[in-house]
């Protein structure tokens, strides 16, 4: 899951029905366990990619976390948002793959909310 500016992005995996979006301080596990940190739930439906716009008045230092919930509401391990990975390319603007352009394209992220269930 990545945080690029005011947007959280992640992809579907497994059989998640919902994704829970949390915001708080501490480790991802602490954020999820703290009352009042659940911000929203995102329906998975048939989509393969998801995004969540962080509210403009959100704490700029907050840790953003997403978990996946299956049909029985079993919640996955917490995954914290990370900045998109930067791939150096060759610095001459002729990198290959998703890294086209100036050699500093963005990567695919640092985690997915679909980890082993916590419950």
């Amino acid at each position: 899951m990545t945080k690029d500016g005011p947007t959280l992005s992640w992809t579907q995996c497994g059989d998640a029905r919902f994704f829970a979006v949390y915001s708080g301080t501490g480790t991802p596990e602490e954020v999820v366990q703290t009352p009042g940190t659940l911000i929203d739930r995102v329906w998975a439906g048939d989509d393969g990619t998801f995004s969540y716009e962080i509210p403009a008045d959100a704490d700029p230092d907050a840790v953003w976390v997403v978990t996946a919930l299956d049909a029985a509401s079993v919640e996955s391990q917490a995954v914290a948002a990370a900045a998109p990975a930067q791939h150096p390319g060759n610095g001459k603007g002729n990198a290959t793959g998703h890294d086209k352009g100036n050699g500093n394209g963005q990567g695919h992220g640092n985690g997915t909310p679909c980890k082993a269930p916590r419950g």
Side-chain angles (χ1 to χ4, degrees):
M1 178 182 59
T2 59
K3 178 179 179 282
D4 192 4
T7 305
L8 301 176
S9 301
W10 64 94
T11 58
Q12 170 68 288
C13 60
D15 59 353
R17 294 280 180 95
F18 285 95
F19 296 94
V21 179
Y22 296 86
S23 177
T25 58
T27 68
E29 292 76 18
E30 291 170 337
V31 171
V32 170
Q33 293 173 3
T34 302
T37 58
L38 178 63
I39 303 299
D40 205 351
R41 284 176 32 139
V42 176
W43 169 246
D46 293 328
D47 293 335
T49 58
F50 304 90
S51 63
Y52 179 80
E53 292 298 316
I54 297 171
D57 61 349
D59 179 352
D61 297 322
V63 174
W64 287 87
V65 176
V66 171
T67 62
L69 291 92
D70 66 12
S73 293
V74 175
E75 193 168 29
S76 71
Q77 292 176 342
V79 175
Q86 295 291 318
H87 297 278
N90 66 6
K92 296 179 184 171
N94 58 4
T96 59
H98 68 274
D99 206 16
K100 295 176 182 171
N102 65 7
N104 292 317
Q106 295 194 353
H108 295 291
N110 297 318
T112 174
C114 296
K115 303 269 184 176
R118 291 187 305 146

